[in-house]
Amino acid sequence: MPIIDITAPESPKSPALKTPSDCSPVADVIAVHGIVESGPEAWTDRDTGILWLRDLFPFQKLNVRVLLYYYNAEAFTSPGDGSIDRLLPFAQNLVAELCADRQFADAQERPIIFICHGLGGLLVKRAVAFSSSRRSPKVEHLRSLYVSTYGILFLGTPHDGLRKDSLYILQAPESQGPNQSTLNLLKGSELLQEITDQFAPLMKRFAIYNFWGQKKSGSKEQPAYIVREDSAAPSWLDTERCGIYTTHERLTKFISKRDQGYRVVLEALTRYIMSAPITIQSRWSNDQLDIVEERRREADELLKPHLRHLSSDRPDGSLPNEWFLVPRCSSSYFTGRSSHAAVVRKQLGDPIRQHKTTRHRVFVIYGLGGAGKTQFCLKYVEDHKSRYWGIFWIDASSDDNAEADFASLGQQMGKGATFSAGLHCLSQCTEPWLLVIDNADDPELDVTKYFPVGSGGHILITTRNPSTTLHETAGHLRFSGMDPEEGVSLLLRTASSEEGSPFPDSSKRKVAQAIASELGYLALALANAGMTIRRNIYTLERYLHHYLGYRMRMISSTDIKSADEANIITTWEIPFTIIEKRKSPQYIDAVNLVHILAFLHFDSIPESIFRDSANIIKTNTCESRGLKLIRSDSIWNEESHVRVRRALSTLCDYSIIDHDPEKGIVSLHPVVQRWARERLSSEDQRYWLGAATALLARNVSPYMEASGQKFRRSLLPHIESCLRGLTLLHGPNLVRTKDRACELERFAWVFAENGLWKRARRYQQDILTFRIKALGRRHADTIQARRSLAESQWNLFDIKPLIMTQLKTLATCFFVRPAYMDWVRWPPWRPDHISYCMSMSDLTLSLWLAGKRARSKKLGERAVKGLTKRLGPDDPLTLTAKFNLARTYLHLGDHEASRQRLVEVLKKRKCLFGLEHPDTLMTRNELGMYYCAEKRHLSVAESLVRNVLASRKKLLGEEHAYTLWSVNDLAKVVHTRRRPVEAINILEPILPIVRRTLGEKHPGMSMTKANLVISYVQAQRWSEAETIIKELLQIVPEDHPDYIHTLSGYIHTRTALGDLEEAERNCTKALDMVTRETSMSKVLNMLTREKTLSLDSPRVVAVAQQLALIYKKQGRSEDLKGLQQKFPNNDLSDEQMFSIWHT
């Protein structure tokens, strides 16, 4: 029997051990043994036969009953008998058996003091937690164990787990290795965490004393502490702790009352026994009151009327699903978890009805890697597709990946390829949607930043981090092992090559039960094991024998941190070891492929990065370490396509990767990827990380063709993965070699192409610094790096550094001439070789942006002349220079020269690139703005700009910077056509978008606000115009021409509102600014030899005219006469003056 009362008489004739007959015991002392010994032997010294709880402990004097509880400890050491949840049935048995014993002894409310050794302590913690949860009327008698427990003495209990060296001491010599239950005692296991989570809230009720052995156990050659101090006695508040100078297994054996350990244990037991009765009596009284109150609340709830809710389902019971952005389909072998799916569906509720609630419904699925969380979600979204208008999937394994997925979502929904655009799409959505946030494992990750603003959406999160449940609003589920029957079915289904019910033989099912038990019923491990059996690597009957041997070796690795990890990884190590041993090219290629995949992102890897690499290598001028892989026995040669497919097929057959031939993508589980990476030596990790980086770089064409943009976008997660690996290896400074600089340069091009200009600028600055030092300022690669950096600075509107960068490029190109004749050609100080003219063309555009248009014109004309001479009038570089010059002409007021250039460039770009190419769209848009500036053919202008806007929305998304630019230009055309209300309706909706995507101080925001002001003025909404103008005056730099233009608008509104004094003061300020220079303008003027604005500038004359009008209204003829002498051209009418300001 499992309970022995060692204080009871052995027979009616031997009353020596009876407690006093005139009173019942005041407490029960219950001893629970550990994993190695059971029953009385666990507490008995073998040499002396002393069972100290009977022979030394004064139970008669203290008037207590001493019970020994024992259980089948062999279940925890025998392969195939244990599972991840094996402790729970033992805990339930302990509660039931003790409650029954105490019921028959009429001792339900008697205080309990547990003394437990090793695993027995974990069993007691689980039992107490289970007892505390029994509150319903039918099982509340089981709660008595929890209410009656006063104190617990833990003797060497591994609260925080065992270390690996302890397992070797605990297992039998003939054993093939520790079984699943023993592995669950390893430090960091989910079982221990679950026990801790359940017991921690209850601890404050109990008196707790933790003891540990201070001597090592095991052989003399390899002694070790079975349970270390930090695990046996954690730093818990309000608990006692003491070490005993003996081994772990001797903690339960005392032979003398003088033993130091015995005296400490006796003192604690005596103290607990004396204090327990009063405390437990009070707890029973309070608990009875709590139960009565709970019953009353339940009765009240039952008496409440329940309202029937009308069904919100549509007539056909479903929704038209318009968006299903999910990376892949679920596995065909997925089985079970139907009860979990029902819970998720119930807790999330009706998506149509919930869509009108005030908060999102967030459900969290957490558990160890390989438990099947992602597969469950894939199956769930497939089965519930008809319930949602849109289902979206975000990979949250890193911030970069999550933001890239949101950007892809935004692009596909036509809003723009940015993180904020994708998030905003869901925030504004009025239809029911489900968002899956997968692999949110990083404890430092703030998952809430991926929750769209708004309400009514459904969010499903998968994570290994239990604390993520803090963010749930609809519930959570913990995934560990599958239901045993479902787990066995999954194993047999994947192992069988036959349709229907596999392996109906009961004996085979018993074998499968043992395998599934040792695999912890983990879905991923079961599927992998099944595939290994299916390929006849090992039979079903022999698999467990070989698996235990492999797992034993895996556990000895320092990289394996937990039993669950060992279970999963071992199932891959078995087939991969077979692949490694085979020497045919197909298997060698497969091994190399796994090494490459280990450093890419685990999901959606384009197959074409391997298939096309041979062709890219031929045109790649940047040598790389990865080229060492290009040899006769590698996968990257002229037959790469066939060989890659064979290698992928091999890995897919062995269940190491997932391959979708139709989509041409490869995926692998995150745990597989980590295993593939960590099984490599440090040297091999460096090599294969370098190879993966080089491979990705070779897939970025140096010509950055527009047709390859979608493919390059798909590389972003893999680029990020390699960059993270390089940063971990080398620190933040990644540019250490010429090859690496070339690779990172191409990555920066991809970042810039996708609007990630800050990321691009960061790497481009490092590349430039390295190349200046390694190659010199005049090397072609250094010049290219400086040009690339300038392009990012231009897109970030970083004006001063931009111009400084391009002036340095221009100066360098002045001295770097391709031929001797370029030096002797007269005049030598005005070179016209291609690189110099390209630099002048780039600077033309930047000076135009900075407002230095006169200097921009001079450089632009030289660039066009030189490139036309060297390359011809139709070369794309020449066309770019002509376009830049045309834009400058337009803003200088030379409209005819601008028109001629724009028409010529547009005609040729249409022929070269097509109507929808970004460069063609830019030209069409600028031609429309020419017609707008001319104030003729305005209908043509509006048509041009509207068509460009529609194309940019389609190609770039609604929130791309260039799309927003087109919106502004359309508003300009509309208010030029005197339709201010329409212009306002165009601009006001994009203000929050510009603020969110570009920022409050970005020039794009200033442009939008300035156009809105003009429309407000036309509509005579003066106060609104004034409010925005004041905001602009705080943002626009005083040294930019637009500041005078903005100030002129403010003067106009103040004049219209009758505040002539304020208007005059600002007129004076504006005119004074023209005659002086700020620090910024001094730098730019020195570099460009041009003032910010001259006195004959139309914008300056407009301010003078406004001041003249003020003088006229106030009758100040002398002041007006002096102003007219200074500005002889300011005799314009009021309408003309307004027209100048509004352009």
Side-chain angles (χ1 to χ4, degrees):
M1 59 182 299
I3 299 176
I4 301 176
D5 183 354
I6 62 173
T7 61
E10 296 181 4
S11 70
K13 297 181 179 181
S14 16
L17 299 180
K18 284 187 178 180
T19 56
S21 58
D22 57 342
C23 63
S24 61
V26 298
D28 283 346
V29 176
I30 303 174
V32 184
H33 61 80
I35 196 172
V36 178
E37 298 174 303
S38 63
E41 293 80 10
W43 308 94
T44 304
D45 179 67
R46 287 186 180 180
D47 296 334
T48 63
I50 294 177
L51 194 165
W52 69 273
L53 283 166
R54 180 193 62 198
D55 302 329
L56 301 179
F57 180 60
F59 59 87
Q60 290 178 308
K61 178 180 177 180
L62 296 172
N63 192 20
V64 296
R65 185 171 67 143
V66 179
L67 305 178
L68 302 184
Y69 181 85
Y70 69 94
Y71 53 93
N72 182 17
E74 291 184 4
F76 288 87
T77 55
S78 301
D81 287 340
S83 74
I84 191 168
D85 222 13
R86 187 63 174 173
L87 203 60
L88 180 58
F90 282 92
Q92 293 170 335
N93 286 349
L94 186 151
V95 172
E97 290 161 355
L98 284 178
C99 286
D101 180 89
R102 285 161 56 84
Q103 175 72 29
F104 287 124
D106 194 22
Q108 301 98 314
E109 298 183 10
R110 183 184 297 166
I112 296 174
I113 299 162
F114 282 106
I115 178 166
C116 29
H117 180 233
L119 177 69
L122 300 179
L123 178 58
V124 168
K125 289 167 70 174
R126 188 105 187 207
V128 170
F130 173 76
S131 175
S132 71
S133 66
R134 306 296 92 182
R135 301 186 70 89
S136 68
K138 294 182 179 179
V139 295
E140 66 179 343
H141 65 282
L142 298 177
R143 185 175 169 80
S144 65
L145 185 77
Y146 163 70
V147 179
S148 297
T149 298
Y150 175 83
I152 309 175
L153 279 69
F154 292 108
L155 305 179
T157 294
H159 300 291
D160 288 345
L162 303 175
R163 301 206 179 182
K164 293 178 183 178
D165 52 2
S166 304
L167 297 183
Y168 299 105
I169 300 173
L170 291 175
Q171 70 184 43
E174 68 280 2
S175 170
Q176 293 176 297
N179 75 333
Q180 175 62 28
S181 296
T182 309
L183 289 176
N184 283 327
L185 299 179
L186 281 175
K187 187 177 180 67
S189 81
E190 189 160 337
L191 173 67
L192 293 175
Q193 185 60 52
E194 182 182 353
I195 294 173
T196 299
D197 291 344
Q198 293 176 354
F199 186 71
L202 314 177
M203 282 177 52
K204 60 184 179 181
R205 293 177 59 98
F206 310 130
I208 294 176
Y209 210 137
N210 288 316
F211 297 89
W212 70 93
Q214 295 178 315
K215 292 178 67 176
K216 293 183 178 180
S217 302
S219 64
K220 293 182 179 180
E221 293 77 17
Q222 292 182 323
Y225 294 106
I226 293 181
V227 182
R228 295 175 180 265
E229 176 186 350
D230 58 349
S231 181
S235 300
W236 294 341
L237 292 176
D238 301 324
T239 58
E240 299 176 273
R241 62 198 309 272
C242 180
I244 298 177
Y245 190 68
T246 187
T247 60
H248 172 78
E249 56 270 25
R250 294 285 306 175
L251 284 172
T252 59
K253 298 172 175 62
F254 303 122
I255 59 174
S256 168
K257 293 183 179 180
R258 293 187 296 274
D259 283 358
Q260 177 258 343
Y262 171 75
R263 294 171 63 84
V264 177
V265 171
L266 175 62
E267 185 279 329
L269 283 172
T270 303
R271 180 158 38 89
Y272 289 177
I273 291 166
M274 300 299 291
S275 304
I278 296 177
T279 301
I280 297 304
Q281 183 180 0
S282 174
R283 283 185 190 168
W284 270 105
S285 299
N286 293 334
D287 195 68
Q288 290 299 323
L289 292 174
D290 291 342
I291 293 293
V292 170
E293 178 62 22
E294 186 172 333
R295 297 290 178 270
R296 186 189 64 78
R297 288 196 301 267
E298 291 173 355
D300 291 343
E301 185 67 26
L302 289 173
L303 292 173
K304 287 182 180 179
H306 289 273
L307 301 178
R308 289 187 63 187
H309 296 279
L310 294 177
S311 174
S312 58
D313 291 341
R314 302 194 178 183
D316 61 353
S318 65
L319 284 172
N321 181 267
E322 296 186 20
W323 295 96
F324 191 70
L325 303 183
V326 177
R328 61 187 181 277
C329 61
S330 64
S331 170
S332 59
Y333 297 110
F334 182 88
T335 186
R337 303 286 195 192
S338 56
S339 60
H340 292 82
V343 170
V344 174
R345 175 172 176 143
K346 179 181 177 181
Q347 293 299 107
L348 288 178
D350 183 351
I352 300 177
R353 185 187 304 161
Q354 295 294 339
H355 191 70
K356 300 176 182 178
T357 61
T358 57
R359 61 191 305 195
H360 295 310
R361 301 285 292 172
V362 181
F363 195 95
V364 176
I365 298 175
Y366 73 97
L368 51 91
K373 302 183 296 295
T374 298
Q375 281 296 324
F376 171 82
C377 289
L378 287 169
K379 188 68 167 63
Y380 184 85
V381 298
E382 290 172 0
D383 291 344
H384 297 83
K385 182 178 178 180
S386 62
R387 302 183 75 215
Y388 298 95
W389 167 84
I391 296 178
F392 309 95
W393 193 284
I394 300 298
D395 167 33
S397 58
S398 71
D399 279 321
D400 292 332
N401 292 335
E403 292 182 7
D405 278 355
F406 270 110
S408 177
L409 185 158
Q411 184 185 43
Q412 293 187 66
M413 297 187 74
K415 294 296 183 181
T418 64
F419 166 60
S420 60
L423 200 60
H424 188 67
C425 285
L426 297 185
S427 299
Q428 300 301 308
C429 183
T430 59
E431 296 286 349
W433 51 261
L434 170 64
L435 176 66
V436 181
I437 303 178
D438 192 28
N439 293 312
D441 302 329
D442 188 349
E444 302 298 322
L445 179 72
D446 178 15
V447 72
T448 59
K449 69 182 178 181
Y450 303 128
F451 294 178
V453 176
S455 64
H458 287 182
I459 300 175
L460 197 55
I461 302 174
T462 73
T463 177
R464 284 189 264 176
N465 180 17
S467 63
T468 307
T469 55
L470 295 172
H471 306 301
E472 58 94 349
T473 61
H476 63 269
L477 279 175
R478 172 181 168 269
F479 273 30
S480 53
M482 298 179 67
D483 174 81
E485 286 302 313
E486 292 180 347
V488 173
S489 296
L490 173 61
L491 174 63
L492 293 176
R493 184 179 175 186
T494 53
S496 174
S497 58
E498 301 176 2
E499 297 295 330
S501 178
F503 297 122
D505 189 334
S506 60
S507 63
K508 291 186 179 294
R509 193 167 184 85
K510 186 176 181 180
V511 173
Q513 171 70 47
I515 296 173
S517 174
E518 281 306 311
L519 294 176
Y521 297 104
L522 296 172
L524 191 59
L526 291 168
N528 292 337
M531 292 304 297
T532 299
I533 296 168
R534 186 176 187 144
R535 288 190 60 83
N536 294 319
I537 296 176
Y538 297 116
T539 64
L540 182 70
E541 290 75 12
R542 295 293 297 164
Y543 183 84
L544 184 58
H545 172 79
H546 291 282
Y547 170 81
L548 292 173
Y550 273 99
R551 188 172 68 179
M552 188 65 188
R553 292 194 291 273
M554 296 302 297
I555 290 172
S556 63
S557 168
T558 57
D559 295 327
I560 305 300
K561 302 297 190 298
S562 70
D564 304 316
E565 193 173 355
N567 287 336
I568 296 172
I569 289 176
T570 303
T571 62
W572 280 304
E573 189 67 29
I574 292 173
F576 192 73
T577 302
I578 301 298
I579 296 174
E580 281 187 313
K581 290 179 180 178
R582 297 181 177 176
K583 301 305 180 183
S584 66
Q586 177 179 345
Y587 290 93
I588 294 173
D589 292 345
V591 171
N592 289 339
L593 202 57
V594 168
H595 294 159
I596 290 287
L597 296 175
F599 297 96
L600 303 178
H601 182 54
F602 56 81
D603 201 12
S604 299
I605 303 167
E607 178 190 336
S608 57
I609 68 173
F610 307 106
R611 185 183 65 213
D612 299 337
S613 57
N615 296 327
I616 294 172
I617 292 162
K618 295 177 182 178
T619 59
N620 187 2
T621 58
C622 186
E623 293 297 322
S624 153
R625 288 179 298 171
L627 294 183
K628 291 186 289 184
L629 298 171
I630 317 299
R631 55 182 187 268
S632 59
D633 61 342
S634 79
I635 62 175
W636 297 283
N637 54 27
E638 292 297 335
E639 300 175 354
S640 60
H641 177 60
V642 175
R643 297 189 66 173
V644 167
R645 277 293 172 101
R646 286 176 179 170
L648 292 176
S649 177
T650 298
L651 296 174
C652 197
D653 287 345
Y654 282 90
S655 198
I656 293 175
I657 66 167
D658 290 322
H659 179 217
D660 187 337
E662 292 184 4
K663 293 183 178 179
I665 60 172
V666 177
S667 301
L668 62 165
H669 195 281
V671 178
V672 181
Q673 189 186 52
R674 187 157 59 90
W675 156 79
R677 186 167 56 244
E678 292 180 350
R679 73 189 304 277
L680 296 171
S681 67
S682 297
E683 182 180 353
D684 284 342
Q685 285 188 20
R686 288 190 181 90
Y687 175 79
W688 288 106
L689 174 58
T693 303
L695 182 64
L696 283 177
R698 288 200 301 272
N699 276 272
V700 179
S701 168
Y703 308 110
M704 298 294 287
E705 300 89 344
S707 59
Q709 184 174 2
K710 182 178 180 181
F711 168 71
R712 289 190 292 272
R713 169 174 285 280
S714 72
L715 299 181
L716 274 174
H718 311 295
I719 291 173
E720 296 282 10
S721 179
C722 285
L723 289 175
R724 281 196 301 273
L726 291 171
T727 301
L728 288 173
L729 199 62
H730 300 297
N733 183 18
L734 303 183
V735 190
R736 296 170 179 263
T737 65
K738 297 176 184 178
D739 295 338
R740 184 55 44 75
C742 179
E743 293 159 4
L744 295 183
E745 181 176 51
R746 296 193 175 200
F747 292 169
W749 294 345
V750 178
F751 287 137
E753 180 181 47
N754 287 283
L756 303 172
W757 293 306
K758 289 183 180 179
R759 294 288 311 276
R761 180 178 62 182
R762 169 191 162 191
Y763 292 111
Q764 287 162 346
Q765 288 172 335
D766 292 344
I767 292 165
L768 178 59
T769 301
F770 171 81
R771 285 180 173 170
I772 289 174
K773 183 177 180 180
L775 305 175
R777 296 179 183 274
R778 299 181 181 181
H779 193 278
D781 288 346
T782 308
I783 296 173
Q784 176 60 49
R786 206 185 291 277
R787 280 205 176 102
S788 297
L789 174 60
E791 182 178 351
S792 295
Q793 290 170 332
W794 195 95
N795 282 291
L796 290 168
F797 289 85
D798 203 358
I799 305 300
K800 182 178 177 180
L802 166 64
I803 293 179
M804 295 294 292
T805 299
Q806 290 182 331
L807 285 172
K808 289 179 180 178
T809 304
L810 189 67
T812 302
C813 290
F814 180 89
F815 292 103
V816 179
R817 306 189 186 188
Y820 172 76
M821 292 303 298
D822 291 314
W823 282 104
V824 300
R825 184 175 288 109
W826 190 260
W829 56 84
R830 291 178 67 86
D832 62 358
H833 55 283
I834 295 173
S835 61
Y836 190 79
C837 292
M838 287 172 59
S839 298
M840 286 194 294
S841 178
D842 293 340
L843 191 55
T844 298
L845 184 62
S846 302
L847 291 172
W848 163 81
L849 185 66
K852 306 299 179 182
R853 276 115 196 202
R855 182 61 179 163
S856 174
K857 173 186 173 182
K858 293 179 181 178
L859 284 175
E861 289 173 340
R862 284 186 59 192
V864 169
K865 181 180 179 180
L867 290 172
T868 302
K869 175 182 175 183
R870 296 290 183 130
L871 300 174
D874 299 337
D875 188 87
L877 292 175
T878 306
L879 296 178
T880 298
K882 289 180 178 180
F883 174 77
N884 293 341
L885 180 58
R887 183 178 264 173
T888 300
Y889 282 153
L890 180 61
H891 287 78
L892 283 172
D894 192 349
H895 293 172
E896 181 57 28
S898 177
R899 185 193 67 79
Q900 292 177 2
R901 297 288 187 189
L902 288 173
V903 170
E904 178 190 1
V905 172
L906 179 58
K907 180 179 178 181
K908 292 176 180 178
R909 279 183 168 173
K910 280 183 181 180
C911 295
L912 289 173
F913 307 132
L915 198 61
E916 299 291 301
H917 190 276
D919 291 349
T920 309
L921 292 176
M922 187 76 75
T923 314
R924 290 167 60 194
N925 194 84
E926 201 66 21
L927 184 60
M929 297 316 296
Y930 154 75
Y931 288 126
C932 180
E934 279 283 277
K935 296 183 176 59
R936 61 189 180 91
H937 304 304
L938 290 176
S939 61
V940 176
E942 184 173 347
S943 177
L944 279 169
V945 177
R946 281 191 185 277
N947 289 337
V948 171
L949 175 59
S951 295
R952 283 179 167 170
K953 282 183 177 181
K954 177 182 175 182
L955 296 173
L956 304 176
E958 294 181 5
E959 299 190 4
H960 192 278
Y962 287 153
T963 305
L964 298 173
W965 194 321
S966 286
V967 174
N968 270 277
D969 285 345
L970 177 60
K972 286 181 184 179
V973 176
V974 170
H975 69 57
T976 300
R977 300 190 72 182
R978 299 293 179 172
R979 296 178 351 229
V981 175
E982 184 180 345
I984 291 170
N985 292 335
I986 290 173
L987 291 169
E988 283 183 337
I990 72 165
L991 265 180
I993 298 175
V994 177
R995 183 176 291 111
R996 174 166 45 82
T997 57
L998 300 180
E1000 192 67 44
K1001 296 185 178 181
H1002 193 278
M1005 175 59 86
S1006 301
M1007 176 174 64
T1008 305
K1009 287 183 174 180
N1011 288 325
L1012 189 56
V1013 166
I1014 295 170
S1015 301
Y1016 282 150
V1017 169
Q1018 281 191 353
Q1020 297 187 358
R1021 293 164 60 172
W1022 303 108
S1023 59
E1024 291 166 288
E1026 182 183 22
T1027 299
I1028 295 181
I1029 288 179
K1030 285 182 177 180
E1031 295 174 1
L1032 284 172
L1033 290 173
Q1034 300 298 318
I1035 297 173
V1036 180
E1038 291 188 0
D1039 40 47
H1040 195 280
D1042 286 347
Y1043 186 84
I1044 299 296
H1045 182 56
T1046 306
L1047 195 57
S1048 174
Y1050 179 64
I1051 294 166
H1052 187 75
T1053 57
R1054 296 315 304 166
T1055 303
L1057 291 170
D1059 190 354
L1060 299 183
E1061 183 179 348
E1062 175 69 9
E1064 180 182 351
R1065 183 162 53 251
N1066 281 280
C1067 283
T1068 305
K1069 175 184 177 181
L1071 295 176
D1072 287 345
M1073 288 179 61
V1074 176
T1075 60
R1076 65 181 175 85
E1077 296 176 340
T1078 65
S1079 59
M1080 174 65 182
S1081 62
K1082 285 180 181 178
V1083 173
L1084 291 178
N1085 294 343
M1086 178 181 67
L1087 296 173
T1088 61
R1089 300 188 294 279
E1090 177 186 348
K1091 291 181 68 63
T1092 302
L1093 282 176
S1094 61
L1095 289 177
D1096 59 352
S1097 167
R1099 295 182 176 183
V1100 178
V1101 172
V1103 175
Q1105 181 63 41
Q1106 288 171 317
L1107 184 57
L1109 289 175
I1110 294 172
Y1111 288 160
K1112 288 178 183 179
K1113 288 184 178 182
Q1114 295 178 337
R1116 295 161 59 180
S1117 57
E1118 290 299 320
D1119 292 334
L1120 179 60
K1121 183 178 180 180
L1123 185 64
Q1124 288 175 335
Q1125 290 176 351
K1126 190 172 183 180
F1127 295 91
N1129 296 323
N1130 73 336
D1131 56 348
L1132 302 173
S1133 67
D1134 185 50
E1135 174 64 26
Q1136 290 172 314
M1137 179 276 303
F1138 175 80
S1139 178
I1140 289 176
W1141 175 73
H1142 123 144
T1143 58

